[in-house]
Each structure stands twice: as structure tokens, then as C-alpha cells.
Amino acid sequence: MNALGKSVKRVYVLLFARRIFYPANLFLYKLSLFGLGLRNYENDTVSGEKAFIKFLKALGKFDSGAILDIGANIGNYSVMLRKNGVTQPIFAFEPHPVAFNKLSEVAMAYNFTAVPEGAGETHSMAAIYDYQGDSGSEHASMYKGVIEHLHKGKAEEVAIALTTIDEFVAKHDISKIALLKIDTEGHELSVLKGARQTIASGMAEVIQLEFNEMNIISRTFFKDIVDVLPGYDFYRMLPDGLKALGPYNSTNYEIFSFQNIVALKQLHN
């Protein structure tokens, strides 16, 4: 912080860091989150995903390679790609059997491949948790606390199968990933750990993932994600494009509220 910034802070603290102004300060803080690219989930335009896809198309990132949509649920993201003119092969992963049935129908209509597995650090059987009696919701998570503590619902356990990205890529002879998108309700770090070889090879130049309050439940810091992605620069999505986050700083990174994060492979790596 420069001298001017320090002076402004000192004046603000002296005048407004008082209990009487706490509600107003909290209101301004919540508004500022929207401006920083957080809690903007209403649609593809507000979230910044539409601008992001346009940006990748302009860079030619969709000229070759496959797209992996990890945590596809019923396929909204993959459909969004198709509606925005992306023609590359898409593999949409969804382990929940009820959601997968819906995903399969959508995949046939929009010409992409539905994969009846989740992705994780190892190939294994596991459990996913969803609302009791409301199977296939977009909140289904590997962590029971996401349903019961965060969303205040009653959880039911569903058996699922997990693969790893490394294994899937090798099995399907994929040599380039145009986009690796991960939305797994707090399970993102495990997905990335199961893609160590893929990441180390430079095969995935563009990675999109969510970071939010689910990561409190999974005990995942943003620093954990930074550490597993050496050689990447990190950006936060805004409605009109990407904003570079710069070198890791806990104040700028460790915000446990909905946000779309993009990791781009550094050119010199």
C-alpha cells in the first residue's frame, strides 16, 4: 500500500471503523464482492462464462483438443459450449445415476459424450451425498456436510464410481485438452491430484474451476490448488472478462464465496 493508500485508510478507520457504521460497512462489503467477481451465479453472462468462452475462441483454444466437463450434472455447461459454437469433442462426467440419466438425453441432443463416473485422486468406488428424496441435484457432493451443514438439508448416500483424469486421458488417447472444467462441490483439489501427469505434461493449458464455501467443508485452501498447479497464472471471472489475481496473497485468494477461477498455463513453461 502506497502513502496515499495508507492515508486514506487511516482517515477511513478514524471516521468509519465504528460500531454505528458496521451495518453500512457490511452492506458495502457485500456489494464489493459482486464487483470482484464473487457470488455472480445467476446466468452465463453474469458469471462471466460467456465472455470467457468468447475469449478462448478468439485465442484459437477450441481449434483442437478435447473438453472435459467434470461434474457436469445435467449438462448445462456442455450445452452452453455447444450453443456458443464450440464443436470440439466434449466428455461430460457425472457419477450420480439420476443426474446421469438426464445428462445422457441431453448429450444425445447436443452431440457430446456422457461419462457415468466422477473424477478423483484414485480409481475407486466412493459415495456422493444428495438431498434425501431429491436425487440428482446440482448440490450433490462427495462431502456430506455440503448438504447437511451448508444447505441445511437431509443427506442420502449414493454409491458412485470414480476414475482419474490421467487414466481417462490415457484410455481414450487424448493428446490435448482444450479446456478442463471442474465443478465438483468442494472436490476440485482431488480431481486435480488425479490429473498430475496430465498437468505436468502441459496437456491442459486452460483450467476452469469453482472455489466457494464448499471448500470450507472439504478443508481446501486456494493455496492447495495453487500448489498443485505450478506454472499457471490465476484469474477470476468477471462478466466482461478475466482479472489476473497476481502472485498468491491470502487476502486476494482465500475468499470462500462463489467464484469462477481460471488457471492459464504460463507461456514459458
Side-chain angles (χ1 to χ4, degrees):
M1 185 181 292
N2 58 28
L4 177 59
K6 290 179 179 178
S7 297
V8 171
K9 177 186 175 183
R10 189 179 305 113
V11 171
Y12 192 92
V13 169
L14 289 173
L15 292 177
F16 298 107
R18 302 172 183 275
R19 287 174 293 173
I20 190 172
F21 292 120
Y22 190 89
N25 285 327
L26 183 60
F27 175 72
L28 291 173
Y29 166 71
K30 290 181 177 180
L31 282 181
S32 72
L33 291 179
F34 299 129
L36 292 172
L38 289 90
R39 306 174 72 188
N40 296 332
Y41 46 74
E42 288 81 358
N43 54 56
D44 300 335
T45 299
V46 173
S47 71
E49 288 178 328
K50 184 171 288 188
F52 172 58
I53 298 307
K54 184 177 180 181
F55 166 73
L56 292 183
K57 288 182 70 178
L59 290 180
K61 295 297 185 181
F62 292 130
D63 292 346
S64 61
I67 297 166
L68 304 187
D69 180 0
I70 312 297
N73 194 246
I74 61 173
N76 290 337
Y77 190 93
S78 293
V79 170
M80 183 268 293
L81 291 175
R82 287 290 187 247
K83 288 184 175 180
N84 281 275
V86 177
T87 60
Q88 294 308 112
I90 299 174
F91 296 93
F93 291 66
E94 177 50 54
H96 195 297
V98 175
F100 178 77
N101 286 339
K102 298 175 183 178
L103 175 66
S104 297
E105 296 178 5
V106 174
M108 290 182 63
Y110 286 90
N111 191 30
F112 62 87
T113 302
V115 180
E117 296 175 305
E121 188 171 359
T122 61
H123 184 111
S124 62
M125 294 301 296
I128 195 170
Y129 298 92
D130 201 358
Y131 298 107
Q132 196 171 73
D134 186 24
S135 294
S137 80
E138 62 183 7
H139 293 155
S141 172
M142 302 288 291
Y143 301 93
K144 189 176 183 180
V146 168
I147 298 297
E148 297 201 334
H149 301 312
L150 191 60
H151 295 297
K152 310 302 180 185
K154 181 67 175 175
E156 66 178 9
E157 180 178 311
V158 179
I160 61 169
L162 296 179
T163 186
T164 70
I165 290 176
D166 285 341
E167 182 177 279
F168 186 86
V169 164
K171 182 178 179 181
H172 291 81
D173 295 320
I174 296 172
S175 60
K176 179 181 177 181
I177 298 175
L179 172 62
L180 171 57
K181 170 264 184 184
I182 308 171
D183 177 6
T184 51
E185 305 298 297
H187 191 60
E188 290 78 10
L189 181 61
S190 292
V191 175
L192 291 171
K193 286 182 176 179
R196 289 187 186 276
Q197 296 175 24
T198 301
I199 292 166
S201 71
M203 194 184 303
E205 294 184 1
V206 184
I207 301 172
Q208 178 192 342
L209 54 88
E210 282 193 11
F211 189 81
N212 51 40
E213 56 267 37
M214 284 75 164
N215 296 102
I216 297 174
I217 304 296
S218 65
R219 302 295 193 269
T220 303
F221 287 105
F222 205 131
K223 183 63 163 59
D224 298 320
I225 294 171
V226 171
D227 288 346
V228 84
L229 290 174
Y232 284 79
D233 291 322
F234 291 85
Y235 301 79
R236 185 175 288 127
M237 277 191 199
L238 294 169
D240 64 343
L242 302 179
K243 173 60 181 174
L245 291 176
Y248 176 81
N249 178 293
S250 60
T251 301
N252 297 336
Y253 278 73
E254 305 294 353
I255 306 175
F256 293 90
S257 188
F258 173 87
Q259 55 191 293
N260 275 310
I261 297 297
V262 173
L264 298 181
K265 189 75 173 175
Q266 296 168 358
L267 294 179
H268 59 272
N269 282 279

